[in-house]
């Protein structure tokens, strides 16, 4: 009972229910599920509603698929691809037969391999065809509209060792038959991360990265690097600034909470970089973690993922 004049008692909301009994997982340990010669992997995708089906793209080994939760793997793209390095794989949430792969890894090591654009499969990975953006070279992310498998977005980094024009964020409304450049900064800056708001697919966030490699160096950062938002499906973009690092940026990753669209996370390479959080859909930001252990090798590890059910888990 509330005390007189004190108003009603406030209770904390119950945490989201866990659909699985975590006690059943107590004896499990992480283990390598192969394939043992797949090389590095920066592109992984599951199939909504099919808990045992996954794809991954190797940085030099093509596209692989498992239908038994990783017990066995099959290379589904041998002979179908023009290059072997895969930077992104995405399955259409509305049609598991539709899969897109962006070629060329976005984590650009000194011995990076380039790609030759975007490939599409309409039969669950059995066959593939190139659907354009051949000169993007390195693709960091592919995103598909949750209800329209023909509406696709690509975050293209571009050439690693020199400038080129085919870079930034691209959009296709016809399953890759044609592409439109919707976010372009300059010929030495590309897009490296891209996410759709889980509750409103017209809202997108993208990060751009000005970067240049030589055989002996990495120049990560420049005025072109930044965090951007669109509220109209990519037609127009606004650069987000308030509360974010003021100096030059390098690479950055972005994620939107599946539990709360107002909560957005960004992992930023900068002198005052680290993990930033917005609680008003990107309008303002504050740094919540500056631990250097999370910021080392930023060209490789500037990734952030938000839990789909709990706004505090990242």
């Amino acid at each position: 009972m509330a005390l007189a004049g004190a108003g009603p008692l406030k209770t904390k909301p119950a945490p989201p229910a866990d659909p699985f009994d975590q006690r059943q997982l107590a004896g499990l340990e992480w283990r390598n599920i192969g394939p043992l010669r797949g090389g590095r992997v920066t592109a992984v995708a599951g199939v909504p509603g099919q808990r045992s089906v996954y794809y991954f793209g190797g940085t030099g080994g093509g596209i692989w698929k498992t239908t038994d939760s990783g017990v066995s793997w099959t290379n589904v793209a041998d002979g179908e691809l023009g290059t072997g390095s895969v930077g992104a794989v995405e399955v259409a949430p509305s049609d598991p037969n539709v899969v897109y792969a962006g070629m060329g890894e976005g984590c650009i090591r000194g011995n990076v391999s380039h790609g030759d654009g975007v490939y599409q499969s309409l039969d669950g990975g059995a066959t593939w065809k190139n659907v354009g953006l051949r000169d993007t070279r390195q693709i960091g992310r592919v995103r598909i509209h949750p209800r329209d498998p023909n509406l696709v977005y690509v975050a293209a980094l571009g050439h690693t060792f020199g400038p080129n024009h085919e870079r930034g964020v691209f959009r296709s409304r016809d399953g890759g038959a044609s592409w439109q450049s919707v976010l372009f900064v300059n010929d030495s800056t590309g897009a490296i991360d891209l996410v759709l708001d889980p509750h409103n697919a017209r809202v997108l966030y993208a990060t751009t990265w000005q970067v240049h490699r030589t055989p002996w160096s990495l120049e990560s950062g420049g005025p072109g690097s930044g965090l951007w938002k669109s509220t109209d499906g990519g037609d127009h973009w606004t650069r987000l600034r308030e509360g974010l690092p003021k100096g030059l940026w390098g690479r950055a990753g972005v994620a939107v909470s599946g539990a709360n669209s107002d909560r957005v996370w960004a992992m930023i390479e900068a002198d005052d970089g680290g993990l930033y959080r917005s609680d008003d859909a990107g309008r303002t930001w504050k740094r919540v973690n500056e631990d250097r252990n999370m910021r080392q090798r930023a060209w490789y590890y500037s990734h952030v993922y938000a839990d789909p059910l709990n706004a505090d888990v990242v």
Side-chain angles (χ1 to χ4, degrees), residues 81-163:
L81 308 176
T83 54
S85 179
V86 184
V89 176
E90 188 83 348
V91 181
S94 60
D95 186 347
N97 293 304
V98 180
V99 188
Y100 291 87
M103 305 302 289
E105 64 171 311
C107 298
I108 49 173
R109 294 171 58 94
N111 59 344
V112 64
S113 295
H114 71 80
D116 61 338
V118 178
Y119 283 80
Q120 178 200 65
S121 175
L122 300 177
D123 49 19
T127 60
W128 298 83
K129 68 175 180 179
N130 190 296
V131 291
L133 301 182
R134 289 178 177 270
D135 199 39
T136 52
R137 290 290 182 93
Q138 318 296 147
I139 292 177
R141 196 72 76 192
V142 175
R143 298 297 189 191
I144 307 171
H145 191 279
R147 295 177 299 279
D148 183 358
N150 291 313
L151 180 49
V152 188
Y153 299 87
V154 168
L157 185 59
H159 288 213
T160 304
F161 299 98

Side-chain angles (χ1 to χ4, degrees), residues 20-299:
F20 305 108
D21 184 352
Q22 296 297 317
R23 292 173 298 179
Q24 297 181 14
L25 307 179
L28 295 182
E29 297 179 353
W30 287 100
R31 67 192 190 281
N32 188 333
I33 57 175
L36 298 178
R37 298 294 293 173
R40 302 188 313 277
V41 173
T42 61
V44 178
V47 179
Q50 300 181 27
R51 292 180 56 194
S52 296
V53 183
Y54 298 87
Y55 296 84
F56 82 77
T59 61
I63 303 169
W64 298 71
K65 181 179 181 180
T66 179
T67 58
D68 53 16
S69 299
V71 175
S72 61
W73 292 89
T74 301
N75 189 303
V76 292
D78 273 358
E80 303 272 331
L81 308 176
T83 54
S85 179
V86 184
V89 176
E90 188 83 348
V91 181
S94 60
D95 186 347
N97 293 304
V98 180
V99 188
Y100 291 87
M103 305 302 289
E105 64 171 311
C107 298
I108 49 173
R109 294 171 58 94
N111 59 344
V112 64
S113 295
H114 71 80
D116 61 338
V118 178
Y119 283 80
Q120 178 200 65
S121 175
L122 300 177
D123 49 19
T127 60
W128 298 83
K129 68 175 180 179
N130 190 296
V131 291
L133 301 182
R134 289 178 177 270
D135 199 39
T136 52
R137 290 290 182 93
Q138 318 296 147
I139 292 177
R141 196 72 76 192
V142 175
R143 298 297 189 191
I144 307 171
H145 191 279
R147 295 177 299 279
D148 183 358
N150 291 313
L151 180 49
V152 188
Y153 299 87
V154 168
L157 185 59
H159 288 213
T160 304
F161 299 98
N164 77 308
H165 189 80
E166 197 168 61
R167 56 171 75 205
V169 177
F170 294 86
R171 179 181 64 198
S172 175
R173 298 183 184 276
D174 51 18
S178 61
W179 294 92
Q180 177 187 7
S181 173
V182 293
L183 178 60
F184 176 80
V185 178
N186 59 50
D187 65 4
S188 60
T189 301
I192 190 60
D193 204 359
L194 179 67
V195 64
L196 279 64
D197 184 333
H199 302 287
N200 183 357
R202 290 177 59 79
V203 176
L204 297 90
Y205 296 85
T207 61
T208 54
W209 185 20
Q210 186 167 336
V211 62
H212 175 242
R213 263 206 183 274
T214 69
W216 59 88
S217 70
L218 171 66
E219 300 170 20
S220 177
S225 299
L227 174 58
W228 306 75
K229 179 180 180 180
S230 172
T231 59
D232 54 13
D235 288 337
H236 304 89
W237 295 82
T238 300
R239 189 166 184 169
L240 306 179
R241 298 181 185 274
E242 188 172 343
L244 292 170
K246 301 297 184 184
L248 294 180
W249 292 24
R251 179 171 177 159
V254 62
V256 182
S257 169
N260 178 5
S261 292
D262 286 337
R263 176 156 291 182
V264 189
W265 306 88
M267 189 69 196
I268 302 172
E269 177 191 11
D271 284 343
D272 53 348
L275 182 64
Y276 282 75
R277 189 184 77 207
S278 172
D279 290 313
D280 52 15
R283 188 177 65 84
T284 61
W285 296 79
K286 65 179 180 180
R287 183 166 64 172
V288 294
N289 194 301
E290 57 182 285
D291 187 349
R292 283 279 177 182
N293 289 323
M294 295 173 59
R295 300 163 57 190
Q296 298 301 317
R297 286 190 115 191
W299 55 270

